[in-house]
């Protein structure tokens, strides 16, 4: 028998509150989202019946919104596990309140992103052919493998630190709580009692996972980019695509995390835990990655533009002054605004004029802008298909 | 073992597009209709691409008939996740219709855009049913998969079964439908590895070139450059 610990941990009731009480707004939201899912299911069935023509795709726009969504959500998934693991490995203690939200975003975004590929398939009923006849020479198989490992790894990485929390819930549930909940938490806590040996082992497991998950996360978005880069399409067939996608993924991931934090903070009254400090630090990370994005984009466009190879110039001109100029310059504008908003508070202010840019409200606005930017970027990556002859 | 290839003499091609029509009928390529054609969802295993050079009045139009290039180093085969497309022992790039999952990565990989996806259920509306022969190979492909030119694999197979010669070298030789129908006699088909065959000899002509040779895809469809024309004053 495992001996129950004598002293129960003192838990802030605000942290358990959302688990115990469910408001009307929650059910309304669930109903709303269920309606969206039902509508999506209806049009998917229609697409299966009539064919992919209903999406508006054609020759040579072989891929469209589904693959864009796939890239976008796999990118967003980098918010979580990767950031949380890097912060953990580097010993950034301020990370603690945000890691759970970050890791949960990863798992959910991966599920959404992965399902996009199934929806995009002409014959989703043949998805098991990927296992029966899978060829590792194909970049698509790299994707299947790498995303599966990342999903399983992320679930593990989310679950490990969750174990002691499940034990807290198990031990501090009020007596009137339904029995299935008690059983669920007992099951998920896996007999956690917080002994020294248990703690040592869990710490070790988390530390190992944190180190392992970083190369896996980097490989995931690199491999996503390789689906494009391994073809001979002008401006896709480029060595910059791997790191470019990883940078973009982390950038949009941080933005998503910021938005999620604002919502969680407000909805669950966690102002004491998600402090302005967290928004400020994540803001600096976002700033860094937008600078990196600028650097990568400049490197890519200058190299292409200076070389002036006609097939590549057709793609570049489509972005700069052609069909996709609205998307491209919209991206530049949104990114510049986000950059300035993030940078201002760090500049030595003349007199006392300082913009309160790191209040959560402003951080949220920045996050939205950055997210918008990421959407625009991936729209381009997904949709620009130019004939090579 | 032969290595099938094709040569298209652009000086003899009149851009009549009989090759495109013959190909559709031979291979049961589905009807698209004007609306879907405008939306870019029609399937053309063979098509004739027009290229304009120069500015009016010093303009020159060139028409390039394009079947699958049947590359010796096919980028489409490389990327297929399930091995639904492959290069057979005679160099023909084929598609396994009942294995393809419809991911369309091969279409992105093909630098010649010579692969087509069935965006909708194939149909032959109204009188067009007359153009569909239910007995003939290959059967129409279902929606959701990729299809492409096969150098009329069914013709080659039948010829072998019946012991008939294959290629343009023999007056009775079996050739793909586009070659057989070509009104200008611009197309030749045969074994590139046989140094005496017409295609082999023409492929070594100084006029011979292949599309986007710099990509290293090693296409087995050769073109003979049109001659230089002087504008009469």
């Amino acid at each position: 028998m495992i001996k129950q610990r004598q002293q129960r941990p003192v838990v802030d009731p605000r942290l358990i509150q959302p688990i115990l009480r469910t408001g009307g707004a929650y059910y309304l939201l669930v109903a709303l989202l269920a309606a969206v899912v039902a509508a999506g299911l209806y049009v998917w069935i229609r697409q299966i019946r009539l064919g992919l023509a209903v999406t508006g795709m054609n020759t040579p726009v072989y891929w469209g919104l589904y693959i864009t969504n796939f890239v976008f959500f796999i990118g967003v998934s980098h918010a979580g596990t990767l950031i949380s693991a890097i912060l953990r490995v580097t010993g950034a203690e301020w990370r603690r309140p945000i890691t759970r939200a970050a890791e949960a975003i990863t798992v959910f975004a991966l599920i959404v992103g992965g399902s996009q590929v199934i929806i995009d398939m002409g014959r989703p009923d043949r998805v098991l052919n990927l296992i029966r006849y899978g060829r590792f020479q194909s970049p698509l198989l790299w994707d299947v493998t790498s995303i599966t490992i990342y999903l399983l790894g992320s679930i593990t990485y989310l679950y490990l630190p969750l174990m002691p929390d499940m034990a807290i819930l198990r031990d501090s549930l009020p007596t009137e709580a339904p029995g299935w909940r008690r059983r669920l938490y007992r099951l998920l806590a896996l007999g956690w009692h917080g002994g020294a040996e248990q703690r040592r082992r869990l710490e070790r497991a988390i530390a190992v996972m944190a180190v392992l998950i970083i190369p896996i996360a980097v490989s995931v978005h690199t491999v996503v980019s390789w689906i494009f880069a391994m073809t001979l399409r002008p401006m896709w067939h480029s060595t910059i695509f791997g790191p470019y996608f990883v940078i973009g993924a982390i950038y949009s991931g941080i933005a998503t995390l910021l938005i999620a934090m604002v919502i969680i903070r407000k909805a669950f009254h966690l102002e004491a835990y998600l402090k302005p400090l967290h928004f400020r630090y994540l803001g600096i990370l976002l700033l860094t990655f937008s600078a990196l994005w600028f650097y990568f984009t400049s490197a890519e466009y200058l190299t292409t533009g200076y070389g002036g190879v006609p097939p590549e110039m057709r793609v570049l001109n489509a972005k700069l002054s052609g069909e996709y100029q609205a998307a491209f310059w919209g991206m530049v504008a949104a990114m510049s605004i986000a950059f300035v908003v993030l940078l201002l508070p760090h500049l030595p202010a003349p007199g006392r004029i300082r913009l309160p840019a790191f209040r959560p409200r402003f951080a949220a606005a920045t996050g939205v802008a950055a997210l918008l930017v990421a959407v625009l970027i991936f729209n381009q990556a997904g949709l620009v298909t130019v004939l090579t002859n | 073992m032969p290595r099938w290839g094709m040569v298209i003499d652009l000086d003899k091609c009149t851009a009549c597009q009989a090759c495109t029509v013959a190909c559709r009928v031979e291979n049961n390529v589905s009807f698209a209709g004007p609306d879907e054609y405008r939306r870019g969802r029609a399937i053309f295993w063979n098509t004739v691409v027009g290229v304009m050079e120069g500015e009016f009045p010093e303009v020159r139009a060139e028409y390039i008939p394009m079947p699958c290039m049947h590359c010796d180093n096919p980028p489409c085969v490389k990327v297929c996740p399930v091995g639904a497309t492959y290069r057979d022992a005679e160099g023909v790039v084929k598609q396994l219709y009942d294995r393809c999952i419809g991911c369309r990565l091969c279409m992105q990989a093909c630098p010649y855009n010579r692969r087509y996806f069935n965006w909708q259920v194939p149909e032959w509306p109204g009188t067009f049913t007359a153009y569909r022969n239910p007995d003939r190979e290959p059967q129409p492909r279902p929606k959701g998969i990729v299809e492409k030119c096969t150098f009329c694999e069914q013709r080659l197979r039948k010829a072998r079964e019946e012991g008939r010669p294959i290629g343009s070298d023999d007056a009775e030789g079996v050739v793909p439908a586009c070659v057989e129908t070509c009104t200008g006699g611009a197309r030749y088909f045969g074994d590139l590895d046989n140094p005496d065959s017409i295609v082999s000899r023409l492929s070594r002509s100084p006029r011979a070139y292949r599309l986007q040779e710099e990509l290293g895809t090693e296409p087995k469809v050769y073109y003979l450059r049109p001659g230089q024309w002087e504008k009469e004053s």
Side-chain angles (χ1 to χ4, degrees), chain A residues 246-288:
Chain A
V246 173
I247 296 299
I250 301 175
Y251 180 69
S252 50
I254 298 168
T256 315
L257 181 56
L258 277 167
I259 292 169
M261 277 165 60
V262 171
I263 296 169
I264 294 169
R265 186 176 196 259
K266 191 91 183 160
F268 299 132
H269 310 291
L270 296 178
E271 284 83 358
Y273 291 91
L274 297 172
K275 296 176 192 146
L277 165 108
H278 298 113
F279 290 92
R280 190 175 315 134
Y281 282 176
L282 276 180
I284 292 170
L285 264 185
L286 195 59
L287 193 63
T288 312

Side-chain angles (χ1 to χ4, degrees), chain A residues 6-25:
Chain A
Q6 297 303 308
Q7 266 184 312
R8 281 188 173 182
V10 185
V11 183
D12 184 343
R14 270 177 301 177
L15 291 175
I16 305 186
Q17 207 57 16
I19 303 278
L20 299 176
R21 196 173 303 155
T22 315

Side-chain angles (χ1 to χ4, degrees), chain A residues 22-23 30-31 41 52 61 101 104 114 177 186 206 211 225-226 230 233 246 253-254 256 271 274 289 331 337 362 367:
Chain A
T22 315
V30 168
L41 212 58
L52 275 163
V61 185
R186 182 169 303 131
I206 296 174
V211 173
S225 87
W226 283 348
M230 292 299 150
R233 299 271 155 195
V246 173
I254 298 168
T256 315
E271 284 83 358
L274 297 172
F289 277 90
M331 173 191 88
I337 293 167
F362 288 92

